[in-house]
Amino acid sequence: MAERIPLIAGNWKMYRTHQEAAELVRALIPRVADVSYCEVVVCPPFTALTTVAELLKGTRIALGAQDVYWKSEGAYTGEISPLMLKAVGCRYGIVGHSERRQHFGETNATVSSKIKALYDAGLIPIICVGERLEEREAGRTHEVVSRQIDECLDGLEEEKLAASVVAYEPVWAIGTGLTATPEQAQEVQAMIRGQVAALYKKQVADALRILYGGSVKPESIRALMAMPDIDGALVGGASLTVESFASIVHFA
Ligand code: PGA
């Protein structure tokens, strides 16, 4: 089986001005400097990307954006292109986050366009999928997640998918304090890997990193990381304080 390097990503959402972001990242750098067994990524708001990128130079922490538009330039007021993200030093871009799906009309089709646009600019997508509470309660988790995977990955070449990151984030666990149990997350993530193996081939599925996201805390990370199909975490609330994010990064 391919060796998958764990990845811990902090999604800061719409928190922190660029000054506050600088303060947070300055304090974080020395706290995770010794970590070599996993990749660490921070995804600040757009307005803080340049500031944070400067501070991250020469460190092992990578930069990601929380969203992107799929055109490289044009008359699209308010949007940010993959080329712009690349130019400020981003390596990753989150797409399909449930908050984008819920509040801003993100669909599997727009996620698919964004994934391709990120690759064209040399960026790696972190593709979010996950079911809502009523869908889980209706026993529709697999159906919903596998449709998201199917439609989001539509037409993506296998070498690109192998380098991608998927984040399984059950919507009912985001920002609620309700973490999925490691077994619940493992079950869906194994399903995702199986689906990718069926759609592409086993080597692609083996290389693909699948993160869990949804109320990840220092107390829950170890048990999650012990699961065979959990390759890291996308962390929201707990990524906003150095103490909790650093201790999540130190799961090993
Ligand atoms: P949370 O957010 O850790 O605050 O639940 C996770 C996410 O939305 O990516």
Side-chain angles (χ1 to χ4, degrees):
M1 194 171 83
E3 174 83 35
R4 295 189 294 269
I5 299 163
L7 190 157
I8 305 288
N11 170 13
W12 295 3
K13 308 195 179 185
M14 198 177 71
Y15 294 101
R16 307 294 181 251
T17 63
H18 74 281
Q19 292 98 335
E20 292 163 345
E23 212 175 293
L24 177 55
V25 86
R26 268 197 203 100
L28 180 66
I29 291 166
R31 294 293 303 276
V32 301
D34 59 327
V35 172
S36 55
Y37 51 83
C38 87
E39 226 184 312
V40 181
V41 181
V42 291
C43 306
F46 289 131
T47 50
L49 286 175
T50 311
T51 306
V52 172
E54 280 303 313
L55 293 167
L56 293 183
K57 275 187 188 148
T59 74
R60 310 174 64 109
I61 306 174
L63 187 66
Q66 297 174 19
D67 187 29
V68 65
Y69 193 56
W70 58 83
K71 301 275 188 179
S72 42
E73 62 177 12
Y76 302 102
T77 302
E79 293 297 324
I80 305 283
S81 85
L83 290 177
M84 294 168 180
L85 297 180
K86 179 75 179 171
V88 294
C90 286
R91 178 169 165 76
Y92 290 94
I94 299 173
V95 291
H97 192 281
S98 64
E99 288 151 15
R100 303 285 330 161
R101 293 177 188 265
Q102 189 187 341
H103 304 298
F104 304 101
E106 185 94 297
T107 64
N108 294 335
T110 58
V111 174
S112 167
S113 302
K114 290 176 178 189
I115 292 170
K116 294 188 186 101
L118 284 171
Y119 269 114
D120 288 345
L123 292 156
I124 300 169
I126 299 177
I127 307 158
C128 300
V129 296
E131 81 288 0
R132 290 180 285 121
L133 184 60
E134 59 274 27
E135 293 166 335
R136 172 163 285 265
E137 286 174 347
R140 296 182 52 225
T141 299
H142 281 209
E143 173 203 329
V144 169
V145 173
S146 73
R147 154 108 60 86
Q148 290 171 333
I149 291 289
D150 224 18
E151 295 182 0
C152 292
L153 303 185
D154 181 42
L156 190 65
E157 294 92 334
E158 66 179 42
E159 64 284 1
K160 290 182 178 167
L161 180 57
S164 297
V165 179
V166 166
Y168 168 57
E169 298 205 305
V171 179
W172 48 271
I174 296 179
T176 57
L178 286 176
T179 320
T181 64
E183 293 74 20
Q184 282 173 321
Q186 164 60 27
E187 197 249 330
V188 178
Q189 300 195 192
M191 186 277 292
I192 294 171
R193 202 178 304 284
Q195 185 183 357
V196 168
L199 286 171
Y200 291 80
K201 59 186 185 208
K202 190 171 178 300
Q203 290 94 314
V204 175
D206 282 347
L208 176 71
R209 288 184 291 180
I210 308 179
L211 315 182
Y212 167 77
S215 298
V216 173
K217 299 279 180 299
E219 305 76 52
S220 55
I221 187 69
R222 267 171 191 262
L224 289 163
M225 292 304 292
M227 293 289 152
D229 289 296
I230 300 182
D231 306 311
L234 183 54
V235 185
S239 70
L240 291 169
T241 55
V242 172
E243 212 48 55
S244 55
F245 191 60
S247 78
I248 290 171
V249 168
H250 285 97
F251 68 89

